[in-house]
């Protein structure tokens, strides 16, 4: 009796431990963020103000939106490089079609989002039908979309109306537009991660064979996940136009690798099945704040990619360490 | 009328013929056993029935209507669900998420209703007396036996009229296997059809109403279970008479200790195991599942950590990785529990699986001696009668039992002379089981030392020279000679005894 209750206890504490381990990559990301904020705060005054939060969230928002789609694709066990092309394409379409009429702008925003979802869905379909690596298909997709963006607008330019730009800087209850978008993202994820669809996406990323044997249509899941990724890339491009005030045919390229890095730093597994958007959001903040840190440290801005790389490496180490621990414990 | 009627079913994989005109017919309310050698086509057949594979030719009627499911959902629509041999669980989801996967109860927000789902799980577990498993654990942390039980729950949760169990008992310890057998019986008595695949004749005898025998992709015969003898079934399965299953006892053990284990522990599962394994000996390991057997095998092989002292052929050793354990003729080799995880490279060929771990044996100055490699691979495949089209067939496409044989062969190709066999005959057909036991005896007489765990008690009783029974991570008893009986093993596994 006694020994069995002891066994139960140790089983429970093991359960606690393995739950902690499962969240280790996310917790590591959170602590890195805390450290970075602390360093930043000690070097710069006024870091802990709402203004600063608004500012940094604005700086991180495009990346966050792009990385949201990337997170969904990563959970499915894929990767989407084509978001780079989609973001560029979105900005140039907006910059050339918006005009001044709000109704027209609304219409074209809808069209851009639809194009994002449609092209993503097509990518997912191609991956399933051609049975090719997502890496290759989306790499090609990036190149093609980028080309189309250049055809529409060969150099930075075009324009969006002032009030559209201004809508990116509205304030409500002291919080700026980007913070409200962030809250909406969080609410979205709280809902999304509890849906059947999210379970199916994670399951497919965890074991495609098992998912198939359980009746999942892999083609359908590919269409949905890459479609969502395209949709979020389009959303990112719309937000980006409020930041740059026009179109830029190559700008999306800057978001491809950071979107993957943000997710990985936040603990999303590159092999699918594990992770969540909250991690990605933390990851996006970390990558953005490193830029600020480099600025206040007054070192050469070339240090920014170096530091990003080191942090990525640390995050990957943390998650693989946790993974191994969990393996040992389980299996 | 029979609910399932199959006529002349054929299925090819490239040049490999898996089904060659199989016939089958079964009715509601019966347990219908499907028997056949490894690679006879049983799993292929049930994968077609359950919509995981398409068939090339032949007809299937369900309820007298044409049936050609293109996916598992469609099969379920007609009331058919399967518990697959190579489990269909998702490692990163929890037990309950797996059981109700894609059919979770939902709230008005279209999100999964977790408390309702938990409730349903508990009800299901209670209704069919499931062994207890925490419903929130992630499947990746479960043992193979636990996964198998969850897979059964997943099949049952679909409430099918026809439930197919493909070697569902093979990974289960005795008590759970018994539970599953009575569950199958109960389901049939409720008016469902249970198609039951197993290589254990005793189980088939215990519950089957009728028996169909497959050989080389076609049906040999269907019998009423009561009207046919074991011998006849086995003869039909393997196409010849089986001389004997268990080898003759020989005492080949010497006084030389091959593996000495002292105070071997890794709490909470292993709490100080002591034993000597002698040269030429087959030492059986028994006990209820989850009493440290798996951990002991894993740790001895260096795949897990443990404290204590291990002496191999007189030299103290401490293996941190399997690579160290495998090195040289003074090493230890393991046949692991989880063939798909640890044992096999599923996407590589049979040849590569057999030779990669010992590739150094065939290379000289970095060049590969392909002739020597091919020869050894051929020999191993022959001695274990591995049924593959060519040595280049991808391991993942072999039948379950044949995958198990490749793992056994892989271990033989290492030169280690201390062998750890963890359930080496799991999913292996009777004919080959006999050959594997024969081989174990022969190796023992050549001076190998073998530690042998089996979830099948008769195997322990008939093959091992001594049997050590583990309880709570300790050796509860060491049985020798006439004491080695099924009753004694069970008694030692369950009750406190004088030796404890
Ligand atoms: N995907 C595949 N590609 C090639 N050959 C295959 C594939 N799946 C099965 N086979 C072959 O079909 C034959 C029948 O396999 P099947 O799995 O149906 O056998 P089984 O009767 O279930 O055997 P076991 O008792 O070992 O589980 C085997 O020779 C196997 O190698
Ligand atoms: Mg099979």
């Amino acid at each position: 009796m006694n020994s069995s209750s002891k066994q139960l206890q140790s089983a429970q504490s093991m359960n606690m431990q393995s739950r902690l381990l499962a969240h280790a990559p996310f917790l590591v990301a959170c602590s890195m963020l805390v450290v970075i904020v602390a360093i930043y705060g000690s070097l710069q005054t006024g870091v802990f103000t709402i203004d600063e939060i608004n500012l940094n969230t604005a700086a991180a928002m495009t990346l966050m939106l792009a990385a949201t789609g990337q997170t969904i694709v990563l959970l499915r066990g894929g990767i989407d490089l084509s978001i780079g092309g989609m973001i560029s394409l979105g900005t140039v379409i907006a910059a050339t079609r918006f005009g001044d009429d709000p109704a027209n702008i609304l219409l074209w925003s809808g069209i851009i989002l639809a194009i994002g979802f449609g092209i993503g869905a097509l990518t997912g379909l191609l991956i399933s039908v051609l049975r090719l690596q997502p890496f290759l298909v989306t790499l090609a997709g990036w190149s093609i979309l980028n080309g189309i963006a250049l055809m529409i607008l060969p150099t930075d330019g075009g324009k969006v109306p002032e009030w559209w730009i201004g809508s990116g800087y509205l304030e409500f209850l002291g919080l700026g537009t980007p913070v409200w978008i962030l809250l909406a993202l969080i609410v979205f994820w709280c809902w999304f991660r509890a849906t059947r669809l999210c379970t199916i996406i994670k399951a497919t990323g965890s074991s495609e064979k098992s998912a198939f044997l359980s009746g999942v249509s892999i083609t359908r899941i590919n269409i949905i996940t890459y479609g969502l990724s395209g949709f979020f890339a389009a959303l990112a491009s719309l937000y980006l136009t409020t930041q740059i005030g026009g179109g830029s045919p190559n700008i999306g390229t800057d978001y491809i690798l950071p979107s993957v890095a943000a997710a990985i730093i936040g603990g999303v597994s590159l092999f699918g099945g594990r992770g969540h958007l909250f991690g990605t959001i933390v990851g996006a903040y970390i990558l953005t704040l490193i830029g600020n840190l480099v600025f206040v440290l007054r070192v050469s801005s070339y240090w920014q990619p170096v530091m990003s790389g080191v942090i990525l490496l640390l995050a990957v180490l943390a998650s693989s360490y946790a993974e191994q621990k969990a393996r040992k414990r389980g299996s | 009328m029979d609910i399932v009627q199959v006529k002349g079913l054929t299925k090819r994989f490239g040049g490999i013929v898996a089904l060659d005109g199989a016939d089958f017919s079964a009715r509601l309310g019966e347990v219908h056993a499907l028997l056949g050698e490894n690679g006879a086509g049983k799993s292929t057949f049930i994968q077609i029935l359950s919509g995981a594979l398409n068939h090339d030719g032949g007809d299937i009627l369900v309820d007298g209507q044409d049936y050609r499911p293109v996916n598992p959902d469609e099969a379920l629509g007609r009331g058919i669900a399967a518990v697959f041999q190579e489990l269909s669980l998702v490692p990163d989801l929890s037990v309950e998420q797996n059981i109700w996967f894609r059919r979770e109860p939902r709230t008005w927000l279209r999100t999964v209703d977790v408390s309702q789902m938990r409730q349903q799980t508990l009800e299901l577990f209670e209704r069919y007396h499931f062994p207890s498993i925490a419903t929130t654990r992630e499947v990746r942390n479960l043992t193979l036996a636990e996964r198998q039980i969850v897979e059964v729950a997943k099949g049952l949760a679909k409430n099918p009229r026809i439930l197919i169990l493909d070697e569902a008992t093979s990974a289960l310890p005795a008590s759970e296997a018994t539970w599953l057998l009575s569950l199958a019986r109960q389901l049939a008595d409720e008016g469902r059809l249970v198609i039951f695949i197993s290589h254990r004749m005793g189980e088939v005898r215990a519950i089957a109403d009728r028996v169909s025998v497959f050989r080389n992709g076609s049906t040999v015969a269907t019998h009423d279970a009561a009207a046919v003898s074991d011998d006849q079934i086995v003869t039909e399965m393997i196409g010849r008479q089986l001389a004997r299953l268990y080898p003759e006892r020989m005492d080949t053990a010497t006084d030389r200790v091959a593996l000495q284990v002292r105070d071997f522990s890794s709490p909470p599962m292993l709490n100080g195991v002591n034993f000597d394994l002698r040269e030429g000996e087959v030492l059986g390991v028994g006990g209820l599942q989850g009493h440290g057997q798996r951990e002991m095998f894993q740790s001895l092989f260096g795949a897990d950590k443990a404290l204590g002292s291990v002496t191999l052929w007189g030299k103290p050793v401490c293996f941190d990785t399997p690579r160290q354990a495998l090195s040289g003729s003074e090493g230890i080799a393991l046949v692991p529990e989880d063939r798909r995880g640890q044992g096999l490279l599923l996407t590589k060929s049979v040849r590569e699986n057999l030779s990669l771990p010992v590739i150094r044996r065939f290379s000289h100055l970095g060049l590969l001696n392909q002739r020597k490699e091919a020869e050894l691979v051929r020999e191993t495949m022959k001695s274990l009668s591995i049924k593959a089209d060519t040595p280049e067939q991808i391991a993942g496409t072999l039948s379950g039992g044949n995958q198990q044989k490749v793992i056994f062969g892989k271990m033989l190709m290492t030169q280690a002379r201390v062998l750890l066999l963890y359930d080496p005959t799991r999913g292996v057909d009777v004919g080959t089981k006999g050959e594997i036991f024969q081989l174990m005896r022969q190796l023992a007489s050549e001076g190998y030392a073998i530690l042998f765990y089996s979830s099948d008690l008769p195997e322990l009783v008939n093959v091992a020279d001594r049997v050590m029974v583990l309880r709570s991570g300790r050796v509860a008893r060491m049985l020798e000679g006439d004491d080695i009986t099924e009753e004694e093993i069970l008694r030692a596994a369950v009750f406190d005894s004088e030796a404890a």
Side-chain angles (χ1 to χ4, degrees), chain B residues 13 16 18 38-44 85 167 199 393 397 399-401:
Chain B
F13 295 100
I16 304 168
N38 294 134
K42 306 179 295 294
S43 296
T44 307
Q85 182 175 17
E167 294 191 30
H199 288 292
Q393 188 173 343
T397 68
S399 82

Side-chain angles (χ1 to χ4, degrees), chain A residues 7 10 14-15 18-19 22 191 194-196 199-200 202-203 206-207 209-216 272-274 323 326-331, chain B residues 52 72-73 84 86-93 97 101-104 106 109-112 136-138 140-142 147 154 268 294 303-304 340:
Chain A
Q7 251 180 8
S10 76
M14 232 168 99
N15 212 345
S18 67
R19 223 174 278 171
W191 170 78
T195 59
R196 247 185 221 178
T199 313
I200 294 175
K202 279 188 182 178
S206 177
S207 166
K209 176 95 192 281
S210 295
F212 171 74
L213 284 177
S214 309
V216 173
R274 301 177 80 77
E323 188 98 334
R327 281 270 152 74
K328 278 266 159 70
R329 195 167 294 278
S331 82
Chain B
D73 277 355
F84 293 105
E86 307 306 348
L87 309 179
S88 73
L89 301 179
V90 177
D92 285 323
L93 297 184
Q97 281 178 318
F101 185 56
R102 296 178 66 240
R103 291 171 309 104
E104 302 95 342
R106 287 190 284 192
L109 275 172
R110 314 280 291 161
T111 57
V112 174
T136 51
R137 283 175 70 194
E138 271 186 27
R140 52 156 47 188
N141 294 330
L142 299 185
R147 278 181 221 186
K154 183 177 171 185
R294 196 169 63 90
D304 276 346
R340 296 182 80 84

Side-chain angles (χ1 to χ4, degrees), chain A residues 13 48 121 125 135 143 171 221 230 248 259 272 283 285 324:
Chain A
S13 81
F48 303 99
L125 184 69
F135 187 92
S143 187
E171 273 188 21
I221 288 303
S248 175
S259 73
Y285 267 126
Q324 266 173 15

